[in-house]
């Protein structure tokens, strides 16, 4: 396993690992709590110090799982959480942030995201994010599930160019962002954060990927994850609720795709030739 995990750089200049830990669906079952906490702890031990969560996940339950995992080692972690669009107003954002801070048992969130575009004017949300930065409750802010048009609108706003990332659905089954959003983001040095990089497990059962993965003594899921992490300026945040799964995810960093592998992957999962609507789950 790699001694250190490759990093990419946020617009702020801060380096973050290209492989983080997602927590969607954690905190939903008390019987899985210990396994989920131990999986996140192992991930931290192995260098996956970026943990992504959200107030929506299990209505704060996932944030409480994260709190148990990072207890006593908060300074090791780059902590990401998200505010719901329904809470994205001038008064709603600070109230939601305070709730998340209580769930996470910390005094700060490293990166606070708007979970998806909503009805609250974007300028109002950005203003609230900037106020949280000044108050020291968040260090950076970003967005999630924004298409190119939404990003263009965002960066045109006062302080909108302080956005640090755009978290999107991106994997071999969903390559649409490569047509316009990914190039737009790379040009501006704004990393994309890829959720569901193995398409909720669908790609783990793909026979074409299994054949390519076999050449690397790897699984199809590891190959799919490795592919995401080879994309320039992309951070992958797979969820792993068990320690064995965590180790498999970290081992994907050792896979070096050949030109033959990449060509075969492109034949099986063709890159986009036209603009597609941004998908989200």
């Amino acid at each position: 396993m790699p001694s250190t995990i490759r990093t990419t750089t946020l617009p702020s200049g801060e380096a973050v690992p290209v492989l983080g830990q997602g927590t969607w669906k954690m905190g939903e079952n008390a019987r899985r709590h210990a396994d989920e906490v131990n999986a996140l702890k192992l991930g931290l031990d192995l260098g996956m110090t970026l943990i992504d969560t959200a107030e929506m996940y299990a209505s704060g339950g996932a944030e409480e799982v994260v709190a148990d995992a990072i207890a006593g080692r908060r300074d090791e972690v780059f902590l990401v959480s998200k505010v719901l669009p329904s809470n994205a107003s001038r008064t709603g954002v600070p109230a939601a942030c305070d709730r998340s801070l209580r769930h996470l048992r910390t005094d700060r969130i490293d990166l606070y995201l708007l979970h998806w575009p909503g009805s609250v004017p974007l300028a109002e949300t950005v203003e609230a994010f900037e106020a949280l930065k000044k108050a020291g409750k968040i260090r950076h802010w970003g967005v999630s599930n924004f298409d190119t048009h939404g990003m263009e609108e965002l960066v045109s706003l006062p302080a909108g160019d302080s956005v640090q990332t755009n978290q999107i659905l991106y994997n071999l089954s969903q390559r649409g962002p490569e047509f316009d959003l990914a190039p737009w983001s790379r040009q501006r040095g704004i990393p994309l954060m890829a959720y569901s990089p193995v398409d909720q497990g669908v790609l783990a059962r793909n026979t074409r990927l299994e054949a390519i993965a076999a050449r690397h003594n790897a699984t199809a899921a590891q190959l799919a994850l490795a592919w995401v992490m080879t994309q320039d300026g992309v951070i992958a945040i797979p969820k792993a609720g068990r320690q064995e799964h965590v180790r498999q995810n970290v081992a994907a960093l050792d896979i070096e795709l050949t030109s033959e592998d990449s060509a075969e992957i492109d034949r099986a999962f063709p890159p986009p030739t036209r603009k597609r609507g941004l998908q989200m789950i």
Side-chain angles (χ1 to χ4, degrees):
M1 294 205 175
S3 56
T4 57
I5 291 180
R6 297 192 305 272
T7 61
T8 192
T9 307
L10 300 177
S12 67
E14 188 161 353
V16 294
V18 298
L19 178 61
Q21 303 189 78
T23 62
W24 184 34
K25 298 188 181 297
M26 285 191 182
E28 296 180 354
N29 187 327
R31 288 174 295 183
R32 293 199 297 263
H33 181 88
D35 285 344
E36 291 168 348
V37 169
N38 288 333
L40 291 173
K41 285 182 175 179
L42 176 61
L44 293 178
D45 293 341
L46 296 177
M48 289 190 289
T49 53
L50 185 153
I51 298 180
D52 174 82
T53 190
E55 66 168 340
M56 184 185 80
Y57 300 165
S59 300
E63 291 178 324
E64 292 173 348
V65 171
V66 172
D68 285 345
I70 68 174
R73 54 196 306 187
R74 172 66 183 89
D75 291 346
E76 298 175 38
V77 182
F78 188 88
L79 192 55
V80 184
S81 195
K82 308 181 202 70
V83 59
L84 285 163
S86 55
N87 292 330
S89 66
R90 190 173 288 105
T91 56
V93 167
C97 183
D98 284 344
R99 285 193 298 273
S100 287
L101 289 171
R102 287 196 298 273
H103 290 148
L104 291 162
R105 303 200 301 273
T106 186
D107 61 350
R108 69 203 183 278
I109 294 169
D110 296 297
L111 180 58
Y112 199 38
L113 310 181
L114 174 61
H115 209 148
W116 64 84
S119 59
V120 175
L122 202 47
E124 184 174 335
T125 304
V126 171
E127 181 184 327
F129 281 159
E130 287 292 312
L132 286 176
K133 277 173 60 178
K134 288 185 177 68
K137 293 183 177 183
I138 68 173
R139 296 179 54 237
H140 310 290
W141 62 265
V143 295
S144 181
N145 297 300
F146 270 54
D147 61 13
T148 309
H149 176 75
M151 291 300 292
E152 288 174 338
E153 177 190 354
L154 174 62
V155 298
S156 72
L157 297 172
D161 58 359
S162 293
V163 62
Q164 298 296 304
T165 192
N166 181 15
Q167 186 178 125
I168 61 167
L169 177 64
Y170 181 51
N171 55 54
L172 280 170
S173 303
Q174 300 287 347
R175 296 186 65 174
E178 292 173 31
F179 187 79
D180 57 345
L181 181 58
W184 185 97
S185 302
R186 273 196 305 272
Q187 185 180 6
R188 289 158 181 79
I190 302 171
L192 294 174
M193 198 175 289
Y195 68 82
S196 297
V198 189
D199 196 13
Q200 296 184 281
V202 172
L203 293 169
R205 301 182 292 275
N206 186 278
T207 55
R208 291 171 295 184
L209 290 181
E210 285 174 347
I212 302 168
R215 299 199 288 262
H216 297 272
N217 295 313
T219 66
Q222 288 174 315
L223 189 81
L225 181 57
W227 178 87
V228 169
M229 292 187 290
T230 63
Q231 308 307 305
D232 188 30
V234 176
I235 302 160
I237 49 168
K239 187 209 81 169
R242 294 174 294 106
Q243 290 187 330
E244 177 189 0
H245 193 182
V246 173
R247 291 188 181 93
Q248 291 170 352
N249 286 346
V250 174
L253 286 159
D254 290 329
I255 298 174
E256 295 185 8
L257 298 177
T258 66
S259 56
E260 178 188 355
D261 293 333
S262 297
E264 200 169 329
I265 288 170
D266 283 348
R267 286 193 294 272
F269 301 92
T273 56
R274 60 180 176 81
K275 182 176 174 61
R276 302 174 186 168
L278 184 67
Q279 301 299 303
M280 64 175 282
I281 53 175

